[in-house]
Amino acid sequence: MTLPDLPTLVDTRAELAAYLEAARGRGRVGFVPTMGALHEGHASLMRTARDRVGRGPVVVSIFVNPLQFGAGEDLDRYPRTLDADLEVCGREGVDVVFAPAVTEVYPSWPAQPQVTVAPGPLADVLEGRTRPGHFAGVLTVVAKLFGLVRPDVAVFGQKDYQQLALIRQMTADLCLGVEVVGAETCRDPDGLALSSRNRYLSADERASALALSRALCAAQGAAADGSEAARAAAVAVLAEASGVDLDYLAVTAPDLGDLAPGATGEARVLVAARVGTTRLIDNLPLTLGPSGSAPSGEDH
Ligand code: PAF
């Protein structure tokens, strides 16, 4: 058996810049920002990046960004698995992995950086209501990483749907000149959306967590009867589930805005819940109204 080549690993801005200066000549630069603990979902983002840039360099960053974790969240126990992550990147033909220390990204750390990105009102709903400051942390690090990598294309998962919407908005509003691609959520065969946090779940908790994807599918099944019916169907599934502490279940417009009463057409159903000590999120597209049914793909 031949092992895949490991990608080049760099941990400083200077090394990354030197690597990319030489590599940019090969074509467009693809970028997959991650916090590590890589799984098949991340691997699929890397494949999407490779498809978009052909022979151009694909960069993966691995950085557990302290700025996006609130007090009492899982920053300290977030899984750090660099050796295994490098193997995933090697299998997917990633060219370079940027895995900086916190002070390489935030030189003043542990003092907060003075300039951060203000994400605007979209960051105050859904995830933002439970996790104040989270999206300011996400957008700040993504803006910094975009500045360091200067990618042509960056790929993010649709599982973090609100994050993806905010990154698209920041990229457009701040004229960052990066094509942002949203890749479909990868799931285990029983429907559980892949997440680095799934490794916190015990076997019983994992079984409970399946209620999230079942609820979203129930919403899809009821979407023909409108948004209220879709929401009620999902809530009914979650009410029956044991060990699931619901944070929110929302049916929104595709841009996460409110739906008008009786709205038809494209929409999104999003859920967040705590299972044991683990907070999980998931979402699916809906088509509301008489022709409503499960849309063929997740990608909208
Ligand atoms: O989705 C993630 O893994 C993180 O929020 C991101 C985009 C890498 C920023 O830290």
Side-chain angles (χ1 to χ4, degrees), residues 33-35 65 68 138 141-142 156 160 163:
T34 81
M35 298 206 298
N65 172 34
Q68 69 188 74
V138 170
V141 82
V142 170
F156 298 85
D160 295 295
Q163 167 176 285

Side-chain angles (χ1 to χ4, degrees), residues 145-177:
L145 291 168
F146 279 6
L148 292 170
V149 175
R150 290 189 287 117
D152 297 285
V153 184
V155 188
F156 298 85
Q158 291 182 19
K159 190 177 89 60
D160 295 295
Y161 190 79
Q162 189 177 5
Q163 167 176 285
L164 174 61
L166 279 157
I167 289 169
R168 282 192 202 285
Q169 189 162 28
M170 172 182 75
T171 304
D173 287 1
L174 300 185
C175 310
L176 298 183

Side-chain angles (χ1 to χ4, degrees), residues 237-263:
V237 171
L238 292 163
E240 288 292 300
S242 65
V244 177
D245 182 10
L246 182 63
D247 181 351
Y248 61 79
L249 184 293
V251 178
T252 71
D255 64 0
L256 296 175
D258 291 340
L259 286 165

Side-chain angles (χ1 to χ4, degrees), residues 81-219:
T81 57
L82 185 60
D83 290 343
D85 291 349
L86 291 175
E87 283 177 26
V88 174
C89 294
R91 278 200 295 278
E92 298 305 333
V94 167
D95 297 282
V96 60
V97 170
F98 178 49
V102 176
T103 46
E104 192 68 19
V105 177
Y106 302 117
S108 64
W109 200 259
Q112 297 281 314
Q114 296 200 355
V115 175
T116 56
V117 176
L122 183 54
D124 296 336
V125 297
L126 302 169
E127 286 300 286
R129 215 184 282 278
T130 305
R131 308 184 68 190
H134 170 65
F135 288 118
V138 170
L139 294 194
T140 299
V141 82
V142 170
K144 292 195 78 144
L145 291 168
F146 279 6
L148 292 170
V149 175
R150 290 189 287 117
D152 297 285
V153 184
V155 188
F156 298 85
Q158 291 182 19
K159 190 177 89 60
D160 295 295
Y161 190 79
Q162 189 177 5
Q163 167 176 285
L164 174 61
L166 279 157
I167 289 169
R168 282 192 202 285
Q169 189 162 28
M170 172 182 75
T171 304
D173 287 1
L174 300 185
C175 310
L176 298 183
V178 178
E179 181 192 349
V180 174
V181 176
E184 229 173 81
T185 302
C186 285
R187 298 178 182 279
D188 280 332
D190 57 11
L192 186 69
L194 298 191
S195 163
S196 302
R197 290 188 168 99
N198 289 353
R199 65 185 77 195
Y200 298 151
L201 300 170
S202 68
D204 285 350
E205 287 169 346
R206 192 188 174 288
S208 297
L210 291 175
L212 273 69
S213 53
R214 278 207 314 275
L216 299 179
C217 289

